[in-house]
């Protein structure tokens, strides 16, 4: 489909710093945008509806699914998360580079649907640092932290399936690594 090369999928285990790095990238390079997913999970302190996510009830999410408005979705930690068709197609049509920050199952589905998209996996420096970051964020209950850490191992095992891998040891450096991947792809200069 026309415009697929403007899609960039970013995944990585919870707590690796995806949101921090992507926010920095968007601040430094405002021509790059990010899709806003729909979710049924509870809003965290500091999050805003329509900015971080479209926060929906389970029933509303299922209505969107039935209506075909969601191109991929998954159930993660007991909640639905999904990418809205309108978010993806708008950016592709306008040829605006756009980042989807989604987990591995969704990333695989987007790559199958849009083969010229680019998948990027953000790795933590090591597992100890991943756990430290997840805890330092202070947004999760102990049970959820344990679930997310277990899931992290499964997700990291998929890192090699992605087109590119970056390590988040420094936020600015990692943001620029991702920006370089985007610039190379849209200028047609990627390896
Ligand atoms: P994710 O979106 O991958 O779940 P977050 O962006 O919420 O992760 O980051 C998790 C925590 O790690 C946050 O407290 C964030 O400030 C911190 N963090 C992110 N990147 C780094 C880094 N390079 N060095 C140290 N701490 C970081
Ligand atoms: P969080 O609850 O930390 O915001 O997100 C949990 C996980 O869901 C993260 O790995 C995040 O990237 C992923 N996620 C967010 N939105 C979507 C989406 O639209 N689709 C899929 N498949 N995963 C998503």
């Amino acid at each position: 489909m026309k415009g697929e090369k403007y899609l960039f999928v970013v995944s990585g285990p919870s707590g690796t710093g995806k949101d921090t790095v992507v926010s920095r990238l968007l601040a430094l390079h405002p021509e790059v945008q990010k899709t806003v997913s729909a979710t049924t999970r509870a809003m965290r302190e500091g999050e805003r509806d329509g900015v971080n996510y479209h926060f929906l009830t389970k029933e509303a999410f299922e209505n969107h699914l039935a209506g075909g408005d969601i191109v991929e979705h998954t159930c993660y930690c007991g909640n639905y998360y999904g990418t809205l068709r309108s978010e993806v197609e708008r950016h592709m049509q306008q040829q605006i580079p756009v980042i989807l920050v989604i987990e591995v199952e969704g990333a695989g589905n987007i790559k199958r649907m849009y083969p010229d998209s680019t998948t990027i996996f953000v790795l933590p420096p090591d597992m100890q640092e991943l756990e430290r970051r997840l805890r330092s964020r202070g947004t999760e209950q102990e049970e959820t932290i344990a679930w997310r850490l277990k899931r992290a191992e499964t997700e990291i095992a998929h890192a090699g399936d992605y087109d590119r891998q970056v390590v988040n040891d420094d936020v600015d450096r990692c943001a620029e690594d991702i920006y370089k991947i985007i610039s190379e792809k849209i200028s047609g200069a990627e390896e």
Side-chain angles (χ1 to χ4, degrees), residues 42 61 164:
F61 194 101
R164 308 294 290 264

Side-chain angles (χ1 to χ4, degrees), residues 183-191:
S183 307
E184 285 173 359
K185 178 73 180 234
I186 61 177
S187 68
E190 83 277 15
E191 308 119 50

Side-chain angles (χ1 to χ4, degrees), residues 13-20 132-133 136-137 168-171:
S14 183
T16 200
K18 302 177 295 294
D19 284 341
T20 307
R132 193 198 65 74
R133 287 183 193 171
S136 76
R137 191 169 67 191
N168 176 22
D169 41 17
D170 176 83
V171 175

Side-chain angles (χ1 to χ4, degrees), residues 123-177:
L123 288 157
D126 54 52
M127 292 308 281
Q128 288 74 21
E129 175 63 8
L130 178 70
E131 181 166 354
R132 193 198 65 74
R133 287 183 193 171
L134 194 51
R135 289 183 191 284
S136 76
R137 191 169 67 191
T139 53
E140 253 70 43
Q141 304 291 326
E142 193 53 40
E143 193 190 342
T144 313
I145 290 177
W147 190 92
R148 285 178 183 243
L149 283 172
K150 195 159 164 42
R151 165 97 181 201
E153 288 175 19
T154 323
E155 294 195 326
I156 289 173
H158 286 279
D161 301 340
Y162 282 64
D163 296 317
R164 308 294 290 264
Q165 294 82 25
V166 291
V167 178
N168 176 22
D169 41 17
D170 176 83
V171 175
D172 282 308
R173 227 220 43 242
C174 189
E176 289 303 344
D177 285 350

Side-chain angles (χ1 to χ4, degrees), residues 112-131:
R112 272 186 289 281
M113 258 183 287
Y114 307 108
D116 200 25
S117 60
T118 304
T119 53
I120 304 166
F121 197 91
V122 183
L123 288 157
D126 54 52
M127 292 308 281
Q128 288 74 21
E129 175 63 8
L130 178 70
E131 181 166 354

Side-chain angles (χ1 to χ4, degrees), residues 20-142:
T20 307
V21 167
V22 169
S23 298
R24 183 70 54 87
L25 192 160
L26 301 189
L28 292 169
H29 304 285
E31 73 276 21
V32 181
Q33 298 195 359
K34 177 179 172 290
T35 54
V36 180
S37 291
T39 185
T40 59
R41 87 147 156 72
M43 206 186 287
R44 291 178 189 144
E45 209 181 306
E47 287 186 327
R48 283 192 294 148
D49 190 24
V51 176
N52 303 91
Y53 284 104
H54 297 287
F55 291 95
L56 303 180
T57 61
K58 188 163 178 272
E59 191 190 7
F61 194 101
E62 286 172 349
N63 284 339
H64 280 295
L65 264 184
D69 310 335
I70 293 180
V71 284
E72 66 73 34
H73 77 287
T74 194
C75 196
Y76 178 100
C77 207
N79 289 299
Y80 282 131
Y81 292 80
T83 306
L84 296 166
R85 182 180 301 282
S86 55
E87 291 274 327
V88 172
E89 294 188 349
R90 180 166 57 94
H91 290 96
M92 274 168 49
Q93 277 157 8
Q94 295 174 354
Q95 307 202 334
I96 294 171
V98 65
I99 301 179
L100 289 74
V101 183
I102 63 180
E103 52 64 67
V104 291
E105 193 190 337
N109 288 333
I110 291 287
K111 185 72 183 179
R112 272 186 289 281
M113 258 183 287
Y114 307 108
D116 200 25
S117 60
T118 304
T119 53
I120 304 166
F121 197 91
V122 183
L123 288 157
D126 54 52
M127 292 308 281
Q128 288 74 21
E129 175 63 8
L130 178 70
E131 181 166 354
R132 193 198 65 74
R133 287 183 193 171
L134 194 51
R135 289 183 191 284
S136 76
R137 191 169 67 191
T139 53
E140 253 70 43
Q141 304 291 326
E142 193 53 40

